Amino acid sequence: MTNTMDKDVEDIIPNSSELEEVYSDAHFTEGPTVAPDNTVYFSDITFTHQADMQAGHIMRFHPETGETSVFRSPSGMSNGMKFDAQGRLVVAEGADFGGRRITRTNMNTGKSDIIAGLYEGKPFNSPNDLTIDENGRIYFTDPRYVGYEPVEQPVMGVYRIDPNGSVHLVIADSGKPNGIAVSPDQKTLYVGSNDSGSLREMPEDIPTYTGRMALLAYDLKTDGTATYRETLVDYAPEHGPDGFEVDVEGNLYVAVRDKTRFGICIYSPNGKELAYIPTPELPTNVAFGRSELSKVLYITAGGSLFRILVGKDGYHLPQK
Protein backbone atom coordinates (compact mmCIF):
# COMPACT_ATOMS: atom_id res chain seq x y z
CA MET A 1 0.00 0.00 0.00
CA THR A 2 2.97 2.34 0.37
CA ASN A 3 5.02 4.04 -2.29
CA THR A 4 8.39 5.40 -1.20
CA MET A 5 10.46 7.54 -3.51
CA ASP A 6 13.79 5.96 -2.54
CA LYS A 7 14.91 2.93 -0.58
CA ASP A 8 16.92 5.28 1.63
CA VAL A 9 13.67 6.57 3.11
CA GLU A 10 12.22 3.19 4.03
CA ASP A 11 12.72 4.26 7.63
CA ILE A 12 9.93 6.81 7.03
CA ILE A 13 7.39 4.30 5.67
CA PRO A 14 8.61 0.68 5.89
CA ASN A 15 7.91 -1.18 2.66
CA SER A 16 6.20 -3.91 4.68
CA SER A 17 3.59 -1.50 6.07
CA GLU A 18 0.00 -1.95 4.94
CA LEU A 19 -2.86 0.50 5.16
CA GLU A 20 -5.67 -0.97 7.28
CA GLU A 21 -9.26 0.25 7.36
CA VAL A 22 -10.56 0.12 10.95
CA TYR A 23 -13.91 1.91 10.53
CA SER A 24 -16.01 2.68 7.46
CA ASP A 25 -19.51 3.72 8.53
CA ALA A 26 -19.18 7.52 8.73
CA HIS A 27 -20.44 10.23 6.42
CA PHE A 28 -17.20 12.26 6.21
CA THR A 29 -14.34 11.68 8.65
CA GLU A 30 -12.03 14.43 9.88
CA GLY A 31 -9.93 15.65 12.78
CA PRO A 32 -8.45 12.47 14.31
CA THR A 33 -6.65 12.83 17.62
CA VAL A 34 -5.31 10.33 20.13
CA ALA A 35 -5.97 10.51 23.87
CA PRO A 36 -3.28 9.77 26.47
CA ASP A 37 -4.76 6.25 26.82
CA ASN A 38 -4.39 5.72 23.02
CA THR A 39 -8.12 5.89 22.34
CA VAL A 40 -8.70 7.57 18.97
CA TYR A 41 -11.30 10.31 18.59
CA PHE A 42 -12.39 11.60 15.18
CA SER A 43 -15.12 13.77 13.69
CA ASP A 44 -17.93 12.50 11.51
CA ILE A 45 -18.99 15.66 9.66
CA THR A 46 -22.55 15.14 8.47
CA PHE A 47 -23.00 17.93 5.93
CA THR A 48 -26.65 18.70 6.51
CA HIS A 49 -27.62 18.97 2.83
CA GLN A 50 -26.18 15.48 2.25
CA ALA A 51 -26.96 13.65 5.50
CA ASP A 52 -30.64 14.40 6.11
CA MET A 53 -29.87 17.08 8.73
CA GLN A 54 -27.78 14.88 11.02
CA ALA A 55 -26.08 17.10 13.62
CA GLY A 56 -22.50 15.78 13.46
CA HIS A 57 -20.81 13.20 15.67
CA ILE A 58 -17.54 12.70 17.52
CA MET A 59 -16.57 9.05 17.27
CA ARG A 60 -14.28 7.01 19.53
CA PHE A 61 -12.15 4.07 18.32
CA HIS A 62 -10.57 1.60 20.77
CA PRO A 63 -7.38 0.08 19.28
CA GLU A 64 -7.43 -2.87 21.72
CA THR A 65 -10.91 -4.07 20.78
CA GLY A 66 -11.33 -2.56 17.33
CA GLU A 67 -14.70 -1.17 18.40
CA THR A 68 -15.96 2.28 17.38
CA SER A 69 -18.79 4.10 19.13
CA VAL A 70 -20.32 7.57 19.36
CA PHE A 71 -18.59 9.71 21.96
CA ARG A 72 -20.75 12.82 21.53
CA SER A 73 -23.64 13.86 19.32
CA PRO A 74 -24.47 16.53 18.34
CA SER A 75 -20.85 17.50 17.89
CA GLY A 76 -21.29 21.20 17.14
CA MET A 77 -20.09 20.13 13.67
CA SER A 78 -16.67 19.31 15.07
CA ASN A 79 -13.75 19.24 12.67
CA GLY A 80 -10.14 19.37 13.94
CA MET A 81 -9.45 18.19 17.49
CA LYS A 82 -6.43 17.92 19.80
CA PHE A 83 -5.72 16.80 23.35
CA ASP A 84 -3.92 19.42 25.41
CA ALA A 85 -1.16 18.84 27.97
CA GLN A 86 -3.78 18.21 30.68
CA GLY A 87 -5.55 15.54 28.63
CA ARG A 88 -8.53 17.74 27.78
CA LEU A 89 -10.16 17.50 24.36
CA VAL A 90 -10.01 20.77 22.41
CA VAL A 91 -12.41 20.93 19.47
CA ALA A 92 -12.83 23.25 16.47
CA GLU A 93 -16.58 23.45 15.81
CA GLY A 94 -17.55 24.63 12.33
CA ALA A 95 -20.52 26.14 10.52
CA ASP A 96 -23.50 24.41 8.86
CA PHE A 97 -25.63 24.59 12.04
CA GLY A 98 -22.50 24.01 14.15
CA GLY A 99 -21.04 25.94 17.05
CA ARG A 100 -18.51 28.13 15.13
CA ARG A 101 -16.34 28.12 18.23
CA ILE A 102 -13.51 26.38 20.10
CA THR A 103 -14.53 24.19 23.04
CA ARG A 104 -12.55 22.24 25.62
CA THR A 105 -13.87 19.13 27.36
CA ASN A 106 -12.75 17.71 30.70
CA MET A 107 -12.58 14.00 29.94
CA ASN A 108 -13.05 13.07 33.61
CA THR A 109 -16.30 14.98 34.12
CA GLY A 110 -17.53 15.28 30.52
CA LYS A 111 -18.17 19.02 31.01
CA SER A 112 -17.12 21.47 28.29
CA ASP A 113 -16.12 25.13 28.23
CA ILE A 114 -16.33 27.57 25.32
CA ILE A 115 -12.83 29.04 25.15
CA ALA A 116 -13.33 31.12 22.00
CA GLY A 117 -16.72 32.01 20.59
CA LEU A 118 -16.32 35.55 19.22
CA TYR A 119 -13.63 37.85 17.84
CA GLU A 120 -14.27 41.58 18.12
CA GLY A 121 -17.86 40.78 19.03
CA LYS A 122 -18.62 38.68 15.94
CA PRO A 123 -18.82 34.91 15.38
CA PHE A 124 -16.02 33.06 13.64
CA ASN A 125 -16.47 31.93 10.05
CA SER A 126 -16.02 28.19 10.62
CA PRO A 127 -13.16 26.98 12.85
CA ASN A 128 -11.53 24.14 10.94
CA ASP A 129 -8.35 22.79 12.53
CA LEU A 130 -6.12 23.54 15.50
CA THR A 131 -2.76 22.94 17.12
CA ILE A 132 -1.33 23.65 20.58
CA ASP A 133 2.17 24.82 21.48
CA GLU A 134 4.16 23.84 24.56
CA ASN A 135 3.13 27.09 26.30
CA GLY A 136 -0.51 26.01 26.12
CA ARG A 137 -1.43 28.47 23.38
CA ILE A 138 -4.02 27.21 20.88
CA TYR A 139 -3.78 28.19 17.21
CA PHE A 140 -6.77 27.57 14.94
CA THR A 141 -7.77 28.22 11.34
CA ASP A 142 -11.05 29.89 10.43
CA PRO A 143 -12.05 29.48 6.76
CA ARG A 144 -15.52 28.85 5.34
CA TYR A 145 -16.29 25.97 2.98
CA VAL A 146 -19.89 25.02 3.80
CA GLY A 147 -22.74 26.43 5.84
CA TYR A 148 -25.65 28.81 5.56
CA GLU A 149 -24.60 31.25 8.28
CA PRO A 150 -23.43 34.76 7.35
CA VAL A 151 -19.68 35.27 7.03
CA GLU A 152 -18.90 37.98 9.58
CA GLN A 153 -15.12 38.00 9.94
CA PRO A 154 -13.40 40.21 7.32
CA VAL A 155 -10.56 37.72 6.72
CA MET A 156 -10.19 33.97 6.78
CA GLY A 157 -7.40 33.95 9.30
CA VAL A 158 -5.44 32.07 11.91
CA TYR A 159 -6.15 32.89 15.55
CA ARG A 160 -4.35 32.26 18.83
CA ILE A 161 -6.01 31.62 22.18
CA ASP A 162 -3.73 32.40 25.12
CA PRO A 163 -3.94 30.57 28.46
CA ASN A 164 -5.63 33.66 29.95
CA GLY A 165 -8.46 33.28 27.42
CA SER A 166 -7.60 36.23 25.19
CA VAL A 167 -8.03 35.69 21.43
CA HIS A 168 -5.70 37.21 18.83
CA LEU A 169 -5.67 37.25 15.03
CA VAL A 170 -2.10 36.22 14.18
CA ILE A 171 -2.19 35.43 10.44
CA ALA A 172 -4.28 37.16 7.76
CA ASP A 173 -2.15 36.47 4.66
CA SER A 174 -2.42 32.69 4.25
CA GLY A 175 -5.29 32.69 1.75
CA LYS A 176 -7.91 30.24 3.00
CA PRO A 177 -6.24 28.43 5.92
CA ASN A 178 -7.09 24.82 6.65
CA GLY A 179 -4.59 22.47 8.32
CA ILE A 180 -2.17 23.72 10.96
CA ALA A 181 0.68 22.35 13.09
CA VAL A 182 3.57 23.55 15.27
CA SER A 183 7.04 22.12 14.70
CA PRO A 184 8.58 20.09 17.55
CA ASP A 185 11.15 22.84 18.22
CA GLN A 186 8.27 25.37 18.53
CA LYS A 187 9.91 27.70 16.00
CA THR A 188 7.67 27.12 12.97
CA LEU A 189 3.92 27.30 12.48
CA TYR A 190 2.82 25.38 9.39
CA VAL A 191 -0.42 26.41 7.68
CA GLY A 192 -2.12 24.76 4.71
CA SER A 193 -3.99 27.04 2.33
CA ASN A 194 -6.81 25.44 0.35
CA ASP A 195 -8.72 28.28 -1.30
CA SER A 196 -11.74 26.74 -3.02
CA GLY A 197 -12.83 30.07 -4.47
CA SER A 198 -16.22 30.12 -2.75
CA LEU A 199 -17.76 30.43 0.71
CA ARG A 200 -20.05 27.40 0.36
CA GLU A 201 -20.38 24.30 -1.74
CA MET A 202 -21.11 25.18 -5.35
CA PRO A 203 -22.83 23.17 -8.11
CA GLU A 204 -20.34 21.21 -10.18
CA ASP A 205 -21.41 22.97 -13.38
CA ILE A 206 -20.54 26.40 -11.99
CA PRO A 207 -16.78 26.99 -12.17
CA THR A 208 -14.99 28.98 -9.47
CA TYR A 209 -11.63 30.68 -9.50
CA THR A 210 -9.47 28.95 -6.93
CA GLY A 211 -6.92 30.86 -4.91
CA ARG A 212 -3.78 29.91 -3.03
CA MET A 213 -3.10 26.16 -2.80
CA ALA A 214 0.04 25.71 -0.74
CA LEU A 215 1.78 24.46 2.38
CA LEU A 216 3.19 27.52 4.13
CA ALA A 217 5.81 27.98 6.86
CA TYR A 218 5.69 30.86 9.35
CA ASP A 219 8.36 31.85 11.84
CA LEU A 220 6.77 31.40 15.26
CA LYS A 221 8.15 33.80 17.84
CA THR A 222 8.32 33.16 21.57
CA ASP A 223 5.46 35.62 22.15
CA GLY A 224 3.13 33.58 19.93
CA THR A 225 3.19 35.89 16.90
CA ALA A 226 3.88 34.49 13.45
CA THR A 227 5.55 35.92 10.32
CA TYR A 228 5.42 34.39 6.84
CA ARG A 229 8.73 32.74 5.91
CA GLU A 230 8.25 30.60 2.80
CA THR A 231 6.04 28.40 0.66
CA LEU A 232 7.18 24.82 1.24
CA VAL A 233 4.96 23.20 -1.40
CA ASP A 234 2.85 24.86 -4.10
CA TYR A 235 0.04 22.54 -5.25
CA ALA A 236 -1.56 24.82 -7.86
CA PRO A 237 -3.40 24.20 -10.12
CA GLU A 238 -4.49 21.19 -8.03
CA HIS A 239 -6.19 21.53 -4.66
CA GLY A 240 -4.07 22.41 -1.67
CA PRO A 241 -3.52 20.31 1.45
CA ASP A 242 -6.01 19.45 4.14
CA GLY A 243 -4.85 18.46 7.66
CA PHE A 244 -1.38 17.34 8.71
CA GLU A 245 0.84 16.40 11.64
CA VAL A 246 4.56 16.22 12.44
CA ASP A 247 6.82 13.48 13.76
CA VAL A 248 9.51 13.96 16.41
CA GLU A 249 12.06 14.86 13.71
CA GLY A 250 9.82 17.58 12.28
CA ASN A 251 8.74 15.75 9.12
CA LEU A 252 5.21 16.62 7.96
CA TYR A 253 2.52 14.04 7.13
CA VAL A 254 0.11 15.91 4.89
CA ALA A 255 -3.31 14.93 3.53
CA VAL A 256 -2.99 15.83 -0.15
CA ARG A 257 -6.15 16.30 -2.21
CA ASP A 258 -4.57 16.38 -5.67
CA LYS A 259 -7.13 14.56 -7.86
CA THR A 260 -4.33 13.01 -9.91
CA ARG A 261 -3.04 11.16 -6.83
CA PHE A 262 -4.52 11.63 -3.39
CA GLY A 263 -3.01 10.29 -0.21
CA ILE A 264 -0.57 11.25 2.53
CA CYS A 265 2.65 12.96 1.43
CA ILE A 266 5.54 13.01 3.87
CA TYR A 267 7.81 16.04 3.61
CA SER A 268 11.02 17.03 5.34
CA PRO A 269 10.88 20.31 7.30
CA ASN A 270 12.16 22.15 4.21
CA GLY A 271 9.44 20.75 1.94
CA LYS A 272 11.27 17.88 0.22
CA GLU A 273 8.93 14.96 -0.47
CA LEU A 274 10.24 11.84 1.27
CA ALA A 275 7.44 9.30 0.86
CA TYR A 276 3.84 8.89 -0.14
CA ILE A 277 0.95 6.75 1.12
CA PRO A 278 -1.91 6.36 -1.39
CA THR A 279 -5.38 6.20 0.15
CA PRO A 280 -8.48 4.64 -1.47
CA GLU A 281 -10.60 7.65 -0.53
CA LEU A 282 -9.95 11.39 -0.38
CA PRO A 283 -7.84 12.00 2.78
CA THR A 284 -8.63 14.77 5.23
CA ASN A 285 -6.27 14.52 8.22
CA VAL A 286 -3.87 12.39 10.26
CA ALA A 287 -2.87 11.71 13.88
CA PHE A 288 -0.19 9.67 15.64
CA GLY A 289 -0.68 7.13 18.38
CA ARG A 290 1.15 7.44 21.68
CA SER A 291 3.73 5.53 23.77
CA GLU A 292 3.98 1.96 22.42
CA LEU A 293 1.73 2.97 19.50
CA SER A 294 3.61 6.18 18.66
CA LYS A 295 4.56 4.87 15.21
CA VAL A 296 0.93 4.22 14.26
CA LEU A 297 -0.43 6.85 11.89
CA TYR A 298 -4.22 7.20 11.81
CA ILE A 299 -5.75 8.65 8.64
CA THR A 300 -9.26 9.96 8.08
CA ALA A 301 -10.39 9.63 4.46
CA GLY A 302 -13.82 9.64 2.87
CA GLY A 303 -16.15 7.99 5.38
CA SER A 304 -13.44 5.85 6.94
CA LEU A 305 -10.65 5.68 9.52
CA PHE A 306 -7.41 3.97 8.52
CA ARG A 307 -4.12 3.20 10.24
CA ILE A 308 -0.63 2.31 9.09
CA LEU A 309 2.70 1.65 10.81
CA VAL A 310 5.36 4.25 10.02
CA GLY A 311 9.03 4.41 10.91
CA LYS A 312 9.06 7.55 13.06
CA ASP A 313 7.48 8.43 16.39
CA GLY A 314 4.77 11.05 16.25
CA TYR A 315 5.23 14.31 18.10
CA HIS A 316 2.88 15.03 21.01
CA LEU A 317 2.67 17.74 23.63
CA PRO A 318 4.37 16.67 26.86
CA GLN A 319 1.66 15.69 29.36
CA LYS A 320 1.46 17.55 32.66
Side-chain angles (χ1 to χ4, degrees):
M1 294 296 294
T2 63
N3 176 23
T4 56
M5 297 181 64
D6 192 297
K7 290 183 180 179
D8 293 339
V9 299
E10 187 182 352
D11 62 338
I12 301 288
I13 305 291
N15 285 332
S16 60
S17 292
E18 292 288 334
L19 190 67
E20 176 190 5
E21 184 181 71
V22 297
Y23 182 74
S24 62
D25 198 27
H27 182 77
F28 187 83
T29 57
E30 250 286 11
T33 188
V34 179
D37 66 357
N38 261 317
T39 304
V40 184
Y41 293 75
F42 60 97
S43 296
D44 180 7
I45 304 179
T46 56
F47 303 119
T48 56
H49 66 289
Q50 298 175 349
D52 195 27
M53 294 301 291
Q54 290 186 57
H57 322 297
I58 296 177
M59 309 300 292
R60 177 168 52 193
F61 169 70
H62 297 272
E64 322 80 39
T65 65
E67 295 179 354
T68 301
S69 59
V70 175
F71 167 67
R72 184 162 71 211
S73 182
S75 67
M77 287 302 177
S78 68
N79 195 323
M81 302 186 290
K82 289 288 185 299
F83 281 92
D84 67 11
Q86 290 76 35
R88 299 171 296 189
L89 181 62
V90 184
V91 178
E93 298 184 6
D96 192 24
F97 301 98
R100 297 167 68 189
R101 61 192 181 183
I102 306 296
T103 61
R104 185 172 56 206
T105 300
N106 183 314
M107 301 302 284
N108 295 320
T109 66
K111 294 181 178 180
S112 300
D113 299 316
I114 299 169
I115 55 176
L118 301 170
Y119 181 70
E120 294 185 341
K122 297 179 180 179
F124 295 107
N125 296 324
S126 184
N128 184 286
D129 204 358
L130 59 89
T131 189
I132 307 172
D133 71 16
E134 293 183 1
N135 290 308
R137 296 176 293 210
I138 300 165
Y139 303 81
F140 69 93
T141 57
D142 186 43
R144 171 65 72 83
Y145 294 103
V146 297
Y148 304 96
E149 301 86 343
V151 175
E152 299 181 63
Q153 293 299 334
V155 298
M156 297 192 186
V158 176
Y159 295 85
R160 186 189 75 237
I161 308 170
D162 288 342
N164 65 6
S166 59
V167 181
H168 309 268
L169 177 64
V170 293
I171 294 174
D173 62 356
S174 62
K176 197 171 187 177
N178 192 307
I180 188 168
V182 177
S183 63
D185 66 5
Q186 308 295 290
K187 294 181 179 179
T188 302
L189 185 64
Y190 297 105
V191 178
S193 180
N194 193 322
D195 190 344
S196 58
S198 68
L199 299 179
R200 57 182 55 88
E201 187 170 288
M202 300 293 291
E204 292 184 2
D205 60 344
I206 299 179
T208 57
Y209 183 81
T210 57
R212 198 174 201 173
M213 300 290 190
L215 179 61
L216 311 173
Y218 287 77
D219 290 320
L220 186 61
K221 299 181 176 63
T222 56
D223 64 358
T225 57
T227 305
Y228 172 76
R229 183 174 77 229
E230 61 181 322
T231 297
L232 292 181
V233 185
D234 189 346
Y235 297 90
E238 297 296 333
H239 273 269
D242 204 321
F244 47 87
E245 272 296 352
V246 295
D247 64 25
V248 292
E249 296 180 6
N251 301 309
L252 295 106
Y253 298 66
V254 182
V256 172
R257 303 169 66 83
D258 182 337
K259 66 177 180 291
T260 64
R261 60 155 199 169
F262 48 79
I264 307 303
C265 280
I266 296 89
Y267 302 103
S268 68
N270 64 7
K272 176 185 177 182
E273 185 174 332
L274 303 176
Y276 166 67
I277 306 169
T279 56
E281 301 176 79
L282 195 69
T284 59
N285 218 324
V286 299
F288 282 95
R290 297 176 184 262
S291 57
E292 72 277 5
L293 299 179
S294 63
K295 289 183 173 66
V296 175
L297 183 72
Y298 293 96
I299 301 169
T300 48
S304 303
L305 176 68
F306 299 87
R307 66 183 172 190
I308 188 171
L309 185 67
V310 299
K312 302 294 182 182
D313 294 309
Y315 166 75
H316 288 282
L317 282 175
Q319 293 292 294
K320 295 181 180 179

Short mmCIF file of all heavy atoms in Angstrom, two decimals, residues 18 90 148 176 215 272 278:
data_model
loop_
_atom_site.label_atom_id
_atom_site.label_comp_id
_atom_site.label_asym_id
_atom_site.label_seq_id
_atom_site.Cartn_x
_atom_site.Cartn_y
_atom_site.Cartn_z
N GLU A 18 1.24 -1.86 5.70
CA GLU A 18 0.00 -1.95 4.94
C GLU A 18 -1.05 -1.04 5.56
O GLU A 18 -1.19 -0.97 6.77
CB GLU A 18 -0.52 -3.39 4.92
CG GLU A 18 0.34 -4.37 4.15
CD GLU A 18 0.26 -4.16 2.65
OE1 GLU A 18 -0.78 -3.63 2.19
OE2 GLU A 18 1.21 -4.53 1.94
N VAL A 90 -9.74 19.45 22.98
CA VAL A 90 -10.01 20.77 22.41
C VAL A 90 -10.55 20.57 21.00
O VAL A 90 -9.95 19.84 20.20
CB VAL A 90 -8.74 21.64 22.40
CG1 VAL A 90 -9.06 23.04 21.89
CG2 VAL A 90 -8.12 21.71 23.80
N TYR A 148 -24.70 27.80 5.98
CA TYR A 148 -25.65 28.81 5.56
C TYR A 148 -25.56 30.09 6.40
O TYR A 148 -26.25 31.07 6.10
CB TYR A 148 -27.07 28.23 5.65
CG TYR A 148 -27.20 26.96 4.85
CD1 TYR A 148 -27.07 25.72 5.46
CD2 TYR A 148 -27.40 27.00 3.48
CE1 TYR A 148 -27.17 24.55 4.73
CE2 TYR A 148 -27.50 25.85 2.73
CZ TYR A 148 -27.38 24.61 3.37
OH TYR A 148 -27.46 23.46 2.63
N LYS A 176 -6.79 30.89 2.31
CA LYS A 176 -7.91 30.24 3.00
C LYS A 176 -7.32 29.13 3.84
O LYS A 176 -7.13 28.00 3.36
CB LYS A 176 -8.93 29.71 1.99
CG LYS A 176 -10.29 29.38 2.56
CD LYS A 176 -11.25 29.08 1.42
CE LYS A 176 -12.68 28.92 1.93
NZ LYS A 176 -13.63 28.69 0.80
N LEU A 215 1.35 24.73 1.01
CA LEU A 215 1.78 24.46 2.38
C LEU A 215 2.78 25.54 2.75
O LEU A 215 3.82 25.68 2.11
CB LEU A 215 2.43 23.07 2.46
CG LEU A 215 2.95 22.64 3.83
CD1 LEU A 215 1.83 22.57 4.85
CD2 LEU A 215 3.66 21.28 3.72
N LYS A 272 10.89 18.95 1.14
CA LYS A 272 11.27 17.88 0.22
C LYS A 272 10.37 16.67 0.45
O LYS A 272 10.21 16.21 1.58
CB LYS A 272 12.73 17.48 0.44
CG LYS A 272 13.17 16.30 -0.43
CD LYS A 272 14.57 15.86 -0.10
CE LYS A 272 14.98 14.63 -0.90
NZ LYS A 272 16.35 14.16 -0.54
N PRO A 278 -0.63 6.20 -0.69
CA PRO A 278 -1.91 6.36 -1.39
C PRO A 278 -3.07 5.90 -0.51
O PRO A 278 -2.93 4.94 0.25
CB PRO A 278 -1.76 5.47 -2.62
CG PRO A 278 -0.73 4.47 -2.24
CD PRO A 278 0.20 5.14 -1.27
#
